Amino acid sequence: MQRYFIPKKAWYDDRIRITGDDVHHITRVMRFTVGEKIICNDENGVAAQCEILEIDKDFVVVAILHWLEENNELPIEVTIVHGIPKADKFEIVLQKGTELGAHKYIPFQSERSIVIWDKKKWAKKLQRFNKIVKEASEQSHRSYVPTISNPMSITELIEESSQYDLKIFAYEEEAKVNNYHTFGSILKQINSNQKLLVCIGPEGGFSEEEANILKVNDFHPIRLGPRILRTETAPLYALSAISYHFEEQ
Amino acid sequence: MQRYFIPKKAWYDDRIRITGDDVHHITRVMRFTVGEKIICNDENGVAAQCEILEIDKDFVVVAILHWLEENNELPIEVTIVHGIPKADKFEIVLQKGTELGAHKYIPFQSERSIVIWDKKKWAKKLQRFNKIVKEASEQSHRSYVPTISNPMSITELIEESSQYDLKIFAYEEEAKVNNYHTFGSILKQINSNQKLLVCIGPEGGFSEEEANILKVNDFHPIRLGPRILRTETAPLYALSAISYHFEEQ
């Protein structure tokens, strides 16, 4: 069943009043008519099966039929820090990372990032990025839409990291040494409901200086298998492995 | 160090004669000059560090300096069967699946495939697809280039499947039932050097009829986490989880 994320403020007792882009999607893309059913989620993970009551040019009203108890969220909160790559690669990570259960994304202005997202460009980009994660959440039947923070410097990232239970970063050099820590040995250190920060470098990886700063601040270097992954593939490996570890063993 | 896959027939004692597209890549893309070093692999996984001796318009000759002992291959052979999706999605799977260690790809003409790859179109597509997996193998430091089979019907797929030790297929319905088999419980049934066949449906998933045929022929239905993945994300989840299971626990 098609799913829409509707902000809590549009929910009234047993009715929801849908406005904005979702009206276009309901009426034009899906061509739904009165009487058809959809699922609505609010931003806190509350979900309800609903029936379309009224369709107008600017809004759609649905009746809440019954509440759904469902939880497709990863048992730990995973935040992906991504050294800013080319924009199309970041979009792949947003879309597929959301399908794979990411909770939050932090773009990181890394030394080796080829592009810089200044404040002017960022506002427009963020709008587009938020649309991608909302649609991916709907499509993958999640009950939560991941958030995207403003780009951070390494200093801001270190400050942010104090809120997390465990912090790791993918380091290519780690794939080349013999006595590396397996990703599994690190994941065993985290439990349900804890927060994990996963840092992935941009196209050229983290610089040696960045790696040193991360290590000093209790980020564990990890490898993601012995093969060298592209910057946009690494977060997908990490999230898939985390899902496998917690949900499929 | 940059890596090139050079067919065995171009290797002579302590020299390799490189021709074709790689000459362009060495001289124009990487702008290597005489004396610089590269790694060459043959199709059997043999690898050598080499030095450039001679650069010509049509060929490059390198000297083999020493042999490399390396193995970045998954301990099991994983073949990805993919219900033919839109071509750009298949290319994502080829590129990222190769980074993640796939051994072989089989396009599968599924009931719900929107596109049909006829013989005429296929030859040209295959050329392009082979180039993608070769480049991805080089980039991810693999010692093997995955192969791509011709598209198969379900009958051909069932015949092919007799060569495998374990056969699984991702089935969306499996994500919805309560007493599903975890992916981990299935992976525990396979050992190093065995062959695993992983089948992923096209955009609409497998039809009920296809799922029944697969089940009757000893394919195990699995889920890849509780969230619904896009057709191009599912093979990447499967390969990442297999790498995590065998290489990172």
Side-chain angles (χ1 to χ4, degrees):
Chain A
M1 198 173 297
Q2 187 64 35
R3 181 179 295 258
Y4 297 94
F5 280 91
I6 311 296
K8 189 76 207 156
K9 60 174 194 247
W11 297 54
Y12 309 89
D13 294 335
D14 59 350
R15 296 277 185 279
I16 307 172
R17 192 170 187 278
I18 301 171
T19 54
D21 286 351
D22 293 323
V23 174
H24 175 83
H25 197 274
I26 289 170
T27 58
R28 301 296 175 89
V29 180
M30 301 304 292
R31 295 167 183 268
F32 285 135
T33 53
V34 168
E36 289 194 87
K37 296 190 178 68
I38 61 173
I39 293 173
C40 294
N41 278 84
D42 75 9
E43 59 271 49
N44 303 317
V46 172
Q49 200 183 94
C50 303
E51 184 181 316
I52 297 174
L53 282 188
E54 187 183 348
I55 293 180
D56 186 271
K57 199 171 69 68
D58 297 321
F59 64 87
V60 170
V61 177
V62 301
I64 296 170
L65 297 181
H66 59 265
W67 303 97
L68 297 173
E69 295 215 13
E70 46 170 27
N71 188 4
N72 292 336
E73 295 300 316
L74 278 173
I76 62 169
E77 278 185 24
V78 182
T79 293
I80 298 290
V81 176
H82 200 176
I84 298 176
K86 290 181 187 156
D88 58 332
K89 293 185 178 178
F90 193 65
E91 291 182 8
I92 289 177
V93 170
L94 290 177
Q95 186 191 68
K96 310 211 172 305
T98 299
E99 294 169 52
L100 294 166
H103 186 83
K104 181 177 174 179
Y105 301 93
I106 302 176
F108 161 57
Q109 197 68 57
S110 171
E111 232 174 88
R112 294 190 181 154
S113 290
I114 303 165
V115 283
I116 293 174
W117 289 346
D118 59 29
K119 279 191 184 153
K120 208 173 144 193
K121 281 189 211 159
W122 176 247
K124 208 176 161 191
K125 273 188 198 298
L126 182 60
Q127 210 173 4
R128 179 174 161 79
F129 291 163
N130 274 326
K131 191 159 181 270
I132 290 171
V133 295
K134 177 173 179 286
E135 285 175 1
S137 296
E138 289 167 353
Q139 204 252 331
S140 57
H141 296 198
R142 288 188 58 180
S143 43
Y144 177 82
V145 183
T147 53
I148 305 169
S149 99
N150 290 334
M152 290 190 188
S153 66
I154 189 136
T155 317
E156 291 165 320
L157 175 59
I158 298 301
E159 205 179 299
E160 163 87 11
S161 74
S162 66
Q163 300 171 28
Y164 290 80
D165 298 291
L166 192 66
K167 305 168 281 188
I168 61 180
F169 71 108
Y171 197 38
E172 200 173 300
E173 298 306 313
E174 198 69 9
K176 292 178 190 158
V177 298
N178 279 327
N179 60 344
Y180 58 89
H181 295 286
T182 62
F183 190 22
S185 68
I186 301 287
L187 285 186
K188 284 196 188 87
Q189 297 174 27
I190 193 162
N191 301 311
S192 291
N193 299 317
Q194 287 192 312
K195 293 171 77 173
L196 173 67
L197 193 61
V198 180
C199 306
I200 308 289
E203 282 86 351
F206 292 107
S207 71
E208 213 181 308
E209 198 189 330
E210 285 170 341
N212 286 337
I213 295 174
L214 294 174
K215 279 181 197 167
V216 167
N217 287 282
D218 297 326
F219 288 68
H220 302 268
I222 51 147
R223 56 167 227 173
L224 301 168
R227 291 160 297 281
I228 305 300
L229 303 179
R230 281 170 196 255
T231 180
E232 72 276 22
T233 313
L236 312 185
Y237 181 112
L239 287 162
S240 301
I242 291 166
S243 162
Y244 180 76
H245 181 91
F246 286 101
E247 300 175 324
E248 292 294 331
Q249 296 217 75
Chain B
M1 200 174 295
Q2 186 65 32
R3 181 178 297 255
Y4 297 94
F5 280 91
I6 312 296
K8 189 74 206 156
K9 60 173 193 243
W11 297 53
Y12 308 90
D13 294 336
D14 58 350
R15 296 277 185 282
I16 307 172
R17 192 171 186 278
I18 301 171
T19 55
D21 285 351
D22 293 323
V23 174
H24 176 81
H25 197 272
I26 289 171
T27 59
R28 300 298 176 85
V29 180
M30 301 303 293
R31 296 169 182 266
F32 286 135
T33 54
V34 168
E36 289 195 87
K37 296 190 178 66
I38 61 171
I39 293 173
C40 293
N41 278 82
D42 75 7
E43 58 271 49
N44 303 317
V46 172
Q49 200 183 94
C50 303
E51 185 182 315
I52 298 175
L53 283 188
E54 189 185 346
I55 293 180
D56 186 88
K57 198 171 71 69
D58 296 322
F59 64 87
V60 169
V61 177
V62 301
I64 295 170
L65 296 181
H66 60 264
W67 303 98
L68 297 173
E69 296 215 11
E70 45 168 28
N71 187 5
N72 293 337
E73 295 300 315
L74 279 173
I76 62 169
E77 278 184 24
V78 182
T79 293
I80 299 290
V81 175
H82 200 175
I84 297 176
K86 291 183 189 154
D88 58 331
K89 293 185 179 177
F90 192 64
E91 291 182 8
I92 289 177
V93 171
L94 290 177
Q95 185 190 68
K96 309 211 173 305
T98 299
E99 294 170 51
L100 295 166
H103 186 83
K104 182 178 174 180
Y105 301 94
I106 302 176
F108 162 58
Q109 196 67 59
S110 170
E111 230 175 89
R112 293 188 182 157
S113 291
I114 303 164
V115 283
I116 293 174
W117 288 347
D118 59 30
K119 279 191 185 154
K120 207 172 144 194
K121 281 189 213 157
W122 176 246
K124 207 174 159 190
K125 273 187 198 299
L126 182 59
Q127 210 174 4
R128 181 176 159 77
F129 291 163
N130 275 326
K131 191 159 180 269
I132 291 171
V133 294
K134 179 173 177 287
E135 285 175 1
S137 296
E138 289 167 353
Q139 204 251 330
S140 56
H141 296 198
R142 290 189 56 180
S143 43
Y144 177 82
V145 183
T147 54
I148 305 168
S149 98
N150 290 333
M152 291 189 187
S153 66
I154 191 137
T155 317
E156 291 165 318
L157 175 61
I158 299 300
E159 207 178 299
E160 162 87 11
S161 74
S162 66
Q163 301 170 28
Y164 289 80
D165 298 291
L166 192 66
K167 303 169 282 187
I168 61 180
F169 70 108
Y171 197 39
E172 200 172 300
E173 299 306 313
E174 197 69 11
K176 292 178 192 159
V177 298
N178 279 328
N179 60 344
Y180 59 89
H181 295 287
T182 62
F183 190 22
S185 68
I186 301 288
L187 285 185
K188 282 196 189 86
Q189 298 174 29
I190 192 162
N191 301 311
S192 291
N193 298 317
Q194 287 192 313
K195 293 170 76 172
L196 174 67
L197 193 61
V198 179
C199 306
I200 308 289
E203 282 86 351
F206 292 107
S207 71
E208 213 181 309
E209 198 188 332
E210 285 169 339
N212 286 336
I213 295 174
L214 293 174
K215 279 181 196 166
V216 166
N217 287 279
D218 297 325
F219 287 68
H220 302 268
I222 52 148
R223 57 166 226 174
L224 301 168
R227 292 161 295 281
I228 304 301
L229 303 179
R230 282 170 195 256
T231 179
E232 74 276 22
T233 313
L236 312 185
Y237 180 112
L239 287 162
S240 301
I242 290 165
S243 161
Y244 180 77
H245 181 91
F246 287 102
E247 300 175 324
E248 292 295 331
Q249 295 218 73

